[in-house]
Amino acid sequence: MPHSDLPRFGVNYLPRENWWYAWAEDDDDAFAEDLHQIASLGFDHVRVQCLWPLFQPNPSWVSPRALRRLVGLLDRAAESGLDVCVTVLDGWLSGFDFRPSWLKDVDPFTDAAAVGAAELLVGAVSRAVEGHPALWCVDVANEPNVLMRHLGPGEGEAWAARMLSAARAASVPVTVGVDHVPWMSDEAPIGRAFVAAACDLVPVHAWPFFTGALARVGEERAWAIPDYLAQVARATPGAAGKPVWIQELGVSPLWLTDVAVEDFAERMLRRAAAVPGLGAVTWWASHDISRRFTGFDELEYGLGLIDAEGRVKPIGSRVAEVVAELRDRPPGQAATEPAIALPAGRAPDLDFAEGWFARMEAIAGPAIVQERGR
């Protein structure tokens, strides 16, 4: 386990052989092989996704087989010494909308029957994993606000509150995996004040591309976006005393032209790990998606630390090296930056963030490729 001034380090697990279609298979050995490899890289936890159409083919029925497969995954994780966050509703995942077909004609966030069905699934999954030694937390949904763009500010919070209440049946920390929008906008359907107050772990999704940071400040500064968003989260009323979790961070080589992806990843990870009070950092993703599965956006095929044949990529080796170095650091040597002061009367968007990026660039000094002699 990390020192008290260090976060946990983990990955968002994507099964190597069959992506999350693996829930429809019977091979727990494939889970075991992947999870053992993840643990061997020095990670202590994984975040997993319960592919919604396979777990709840009918609004009134949750698949017992899928629940057994989930418990089997936790069993394999325990054997490798990994803890697991179970993410239940993944209507938005790897760039696809994976909502079950029975939702196609209704609003899943406001229709009473649809909300009740989602609540049924969250409760069933929570009960299935309750008390498992590998269970770390339950995340009720992956980026649900992406599919809430038709809702106004705060209009998704009643839905989120019901899902969180259903998940608390597991008697473990719960969260709702919103993306970056609540932390950067006052127009989000699930607002940052709600997320900070309602979640036991305060989640941040901190992608340099999707946040707009790369376009705004370029490759020499955009690696600081996880640090910035974590600072915004910890400064939000309701988050005091709670661990902030950078639940997703990652980088695609398709986004970079002047900086090596390994160097960008190292600087991003080091800066994120230095945020005071940070509870966990979870990379996206463990494995590349196999090319035999068509239809994903091109970048989704290359976000893993391990390729689709099971080989650790250069970025995987670099991230593992940094994690190992951070874990070996003596207690009390974590960087301590003053907490960010949220702006009054406006959202902490990229306009406000410009000064923070400049400050982080000054703190970081020369490019990492020069610092490490690579």
Side-chain angles (χ1 to χ4, degrees), residues 162-223:
R162 285 187 61 176
M163 299 307 114
L164 288 166
S165 178
R168 290 189 195 279
S171 300
V172 296
V174 299
T175 191
V176 54
V178 294
D179 69 0
H180 60 278
V181 173
W183 306 112
M184 303 178 75
S185 170
D186 291 329
E187 304 301 314
I190 302 177
R192 59 183 173 276
F194 173 89
V195 176
C199 294
D200 300 317
L201 292 156
V202 182
V204 168
H205 290 197
W207 292 87
F209 181 83
F210 299 121
T211 59
L214 267 171
R216 173 63 70 90
V217 300
E219 297 173 30
E220 291 302 317
R221 293 183 177 180
W223 46 262

Side-chain angles (χ1 to χ4, degrees), residues 147-166:
L147 302 175
M148 291 181 176
R149 291 172 180 155
H150 60 291
L151 300 180
E155 290 184 352
E157 292 173 3
W159 175 90
R162 285 187 61 176
M163 299 307 114
L164 288 166
S165 178

Side-chain angles (χ1 to χ4, degrees), residues 15 61 107 109 112 146 152 157 176 207 214 229 236 246 265 340 366-367 369:
W61 184 71
D107 187 326
F109 306 110
V146 173
E157 292 173 3
V176 54
W207 292 87
L214 267 171
L229 291 177
T236 300
I246 301 179
I340 198 169
V369 67

Side-chain angles (χ1 to χ4, degrees), residues 234-281:
R234 66 192 289 261
T236 300
K242 296 180 179 179
V244 173
W245 178 13
I246 301 179
Q247 198 176 55
E248 291 186 15
L249 79 165
V251 59
S252 169
L254 300 177
W255 298 337
L256 305 177
T257 57
D258 300 325
V259 177
V261 67
E262 296 85 6
D263 296 332
F264 191 98
E266 176 169 350
R267 179 157 285 185
M268 186 163 60
L269 184 59
R270 287 183 182 277
R271 195 54 243 166
V275 176
L278 192 71
V281 180

